[in-house]
């Protein structure tokens, strides 16, 4: 029997967190390739440390994308985040571009040829999730964790606050009663700051952004509001801790409130089902909830490398379903083609829309006019309902 009263915690990290710097660079390189060729293949991994950026992986795209252009793209990504520090500076950091051609063995399994449709870029299992805890049909702890850091980053970029630096983390613990969030138990925010900002002043700065995000009356008890619990946080970003692409997969998705198949997103083109099928699973789960078929939905899809059709589709409505789960499992492939090609075309993923996904979550975002976050639309709801038999 599911618990109804409990505490649950999720965390977020800012765009300036070392791992998120790497995600941003990898996705900026992906956008660079897709802008030049919508069908380019990219698997770009990034490492950062003190004044060092290393890019590695496999690509297949136009010769116009040179190492010099990739380096310039990486520097621009760091500049946009805001790193101009002695230990990590967009202009002064050394950049090594070690990308090479995509494996022919992988390419032959993925490419369409003759009667063979485009196959999945790898085997794997992907999960999607949606619930009614927030207006974006996402779990509340991760939504509030993201929004706190987004508000602080916006204030830093606009110049409203001079004391914040790019690296930051948040953590929100919510109290649930009868399975729904009713209040905040604790909030933790650790933010890099300029050396001349006192911890007392920093606490009050952060307080305003936390209060601005949380519902009225939800601010935690004073003793459960933690800002930089260890004290000073002046040395941060890749200078304080090395970063790698793909290390924040729970931050990127549902904050631990739902399963994760294990695959990271950033730096991967949409033939990689780690990314595209996870987006499709979220899209389907969100539309199930938006259609009123359930209050919570978890979707699992599985793939084999080089095979176009999903090997399985699994639906769990957590006891909130208005129709049988097996009926929804049967309806999903009638409502949407979940082959790699079908996902790409339905969600229009072959576009340079990925750098914006690299921080503050891939889900629960507002769809953009240019196709960004298309998987957050609820335009499949009516079709799903119509396909229930």
């Amino acid at each position: 029997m599911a618990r109804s009263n409990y505490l649950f915690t999720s965390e977020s990290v800012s765009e300036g967190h070392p791992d998120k710097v790497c995600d941003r660079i990898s996705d900026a390189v992906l956008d660079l390739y897709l802008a030049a060729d919508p069908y380019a293949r990219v698997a770009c991994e990034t490492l950062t440390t003190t004044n060092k950026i290393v890019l590695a992986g496999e690509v297949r795209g136009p010769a116009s994308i040179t190492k010099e252009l990739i380096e310039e793209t990486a520097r621009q990504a760091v500049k946009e985040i805001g790193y101009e520090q002695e230990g990590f500076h967009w202009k002064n950091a050394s950049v090594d571009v070690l990308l090479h051609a995509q494996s022919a063995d992988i390419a032959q399994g993925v490419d369409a040829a003759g009667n063979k449709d485009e196959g999945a870029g790898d085997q794997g299992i992907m999960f999607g999730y949606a619930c009614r805890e927030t207006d974006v049909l996402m779990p509340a702890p991760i939504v509030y964790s993201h929004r706190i850091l987004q508000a602080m980053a916006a204030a830093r970029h606009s110049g409203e606050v001079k004391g914040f630096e790019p690296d930051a983390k948040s953590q929100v613990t919510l109290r649930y009663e009868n399975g729904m969030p009713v209040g905040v138990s604790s909030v933790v925010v650790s933010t890099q700051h300029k050396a001349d900002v006192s911890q007392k002043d920093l606490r009050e700065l952060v307080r305003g952004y936390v209060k601005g995000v949380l519902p009225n009356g939800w601010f935690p008890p004073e003793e459960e509001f933690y800002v930089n619990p260890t004290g000073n946080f002046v040395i941060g970003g890749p200078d304080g801790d090395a970063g790698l692409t793909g290390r924040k997969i729970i931050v990127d998705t549902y904050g631990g409130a739902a399963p994760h198949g294990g695959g990271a997103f950033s730096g991967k083109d949409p033939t990689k089902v780690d990314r595209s099928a996870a987006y499709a699973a979220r899209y389907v789960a969100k539309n199930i909830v938006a259609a009123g078929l359930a209050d919570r939905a978890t979707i699992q899809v599985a793939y084999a490398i080089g095979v176009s059709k999903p090997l399985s589709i699994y639906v769990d409505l957590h006891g909130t379903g208005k129709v049988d789960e097996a009926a929804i499992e049967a309806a999903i492939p009638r409502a949407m083609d979940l082959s790699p090609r079908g996902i790409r075309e339905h969600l229009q993923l072959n576009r340079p829309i990925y750098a914006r996904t690299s921080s503050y979550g891939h889900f629960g975002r507002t769809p953009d006019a240019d196709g960004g976050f298309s998987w957050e639309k609820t335009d499949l709801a009516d079709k799903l309902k119509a396909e229930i038999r």
Side-chain angles (χ1 to χ4, degrees):
M1 185 175 181
R3 293 182 64 190
S4 57
N5 302 325
Y6 53 90
L7 300 178
F8 192 84
T9 304
S10 294
E11 70 159 349
S12 179
V13 297
S14 74
E15 66 208 62
H17 183 280
D19 297 330
K20 282 291 152 199
V21 173
C22 294
D23 286 345
R24 174 66 167 271
I25 293 169
S26 292
D27 274 336
V29 171
L30 171 60
D31 283 351
L32 175 69
Y33 272 91
L34 292 179
D37 177 1
Y39 299 99
R41 299 286 170 78
V42 179
C44 178
E45 311 284 351
T46 303
L47 174 147
T48 57
T49 186
T50 302
N51 269 335
K52 186 74 175 180
I53 301 168
V54 180
L55 294 90
E58 303 78 47
V59 296
R60 189 174 77 195
S64 60
I65 308 298
T66 62
K67 286 190 174 183
E68 291 75 19
L69 191 52
I70 293 168
E71 176 180 336
E72 179 184 330
T73 299
R75 292 189 187 279
Q76 185 62 31
V78 174
K79 183 180 182 181
E80 289 173 0
I81 292 169
Y83 273 112
E84 295 185 343
Q85 300 169 3
E86 183 179 352
F88 195 71
H89 196 295
W90 66 270
K91 184 183 290 186
N92 301 332
S94 168
V95 180
D96 290 344
V97 179
L98 307 178
L99 296 166
H100 60 80
Q102 183 188 47
S103 161
D105 291 343
I106 292 175
Q108 72 177 355
V110 177
D111 291 347
N115 294 324
K116 176 186 173 297
D117 194 9
E118 179 182 301
D122 202 351
Q123 71 177 47
I125 55 175
M126 294 81 205
F127 287 92
Y129 180 74
C131 63
R132 293 199 179 278
E133 292 181 19
T134 60
D135 59 343
V136 292
L137 303 185
M138 283 283 287
I142 189 67
V143 168
Y144 294 134
S145 295
H146 285 322
R147 288 178 180 174
I148 288 167
L149 295 184
Q150 284 177 295
M152 291 170 58
R156 175 175 62 84
H157 284 299
S158 70
E160 176 184 320
V161 173
K162 304 296 185 185
F164 292 154
E165 293 282 24
D167 195 358
K169 302 177 79 169
S170 64
Q171 184 172 285
V172 175
T173 302
L174 294 188
R175 186 173 72 257
Y176 283 72
E177 294 179 4
N178 298 317
M180 290 296 288
V182 297
V184 174
S185 174
S186 66
V187 172
V188 183
V189 177
S190 295
T191 181
Q192 186 186 15
H193 58 90
K194 295 190 182 298
D196 60 354
V197 178
S198 73
Q199 293 304 303
K200 180 180 178 181
D201 289 345
L202 192 71
R203 181 182 179 88
E204 294 312 305
L205 274 176
V206 171
R207 181 192 303 275
Y209 296 100
V210 174
K211 281 191 169 182
V213 164
L214 297 179
N216 289 336
W218 278 34
F219 196 83
E222 196 62 25
E223 65 273 16
E224 296 295 333
F225 175 50
Y226 304 93
V227 177
N228 285 12
T230 62
N232 274 3
F233 185 3
V234 174
I235 300 171
D239 187 31
D241 189 11
L244 289 170
T245 299
R247 282 205 299 197
K248 289 292 177 284
I249 59 176
I250 301 303
V251 169
D252 284 344
T253 55
Y254 307 101
H260 194 295
F265 301 158
S266 289
K268 296 177 181 177
D269 74 74
T271 66
K272 280 72 170 174
V273 285
D274 276 347
R275 182 170 218 160
S276 57
Y279 288 175
R282 160 63 179 171
Y283 177 64
V284 171
K286 185 174 185 179
N287 277 272
I288 288 171
V289 174
L293 299 173
D295 293 329
R296 289 176 64 199
T298 297
I299 310 296
Q300 185 207 61
V301 289
Y303 293 86
I305 188 168
V307 178
S308 63
K309 69 179 182 65
L311 305 184
S312 65
I313 301 172
Y314 167 79
V315 175
D316 183 359
L317 303 180
H318 307 278
T320 71
K322 310 301 188 290
V323 298
D324 186 70
E325 282 138 334
I328 295 181
E329 288 171 352
I332 289 170
R334 292 194 291 264
M336 181 180 177
D337 178 0
L338 289 178
S339 69
R341 183 198 298 273
I343 293 169
R344 284 193 301 100
E345 292 180 351
H346 189 107
L347 297 177
Q348 297 183 284
L349 297 179
N350 289 98
R351 295 188 277 191
I353 55 173
Y354 296 102
R356 70 194 75 172
T357 71
S358 62
S359 54
Y360 312 119
H362 293 244
F363 307 134
R365 308 287 288 274
T366 302
D368 294 324
D370 67 351
F373 301 104
S374 59
W375 50 93
E376 289 299 309
K377 293 180 178 179
T378 54
D379 56 355
L380 195 69
D382 289 343
K383 192 169 185 182
L384 274 169
K385 285 194 290 186
E387 293 292 350
I388 300 292
R389 298 171 187 170

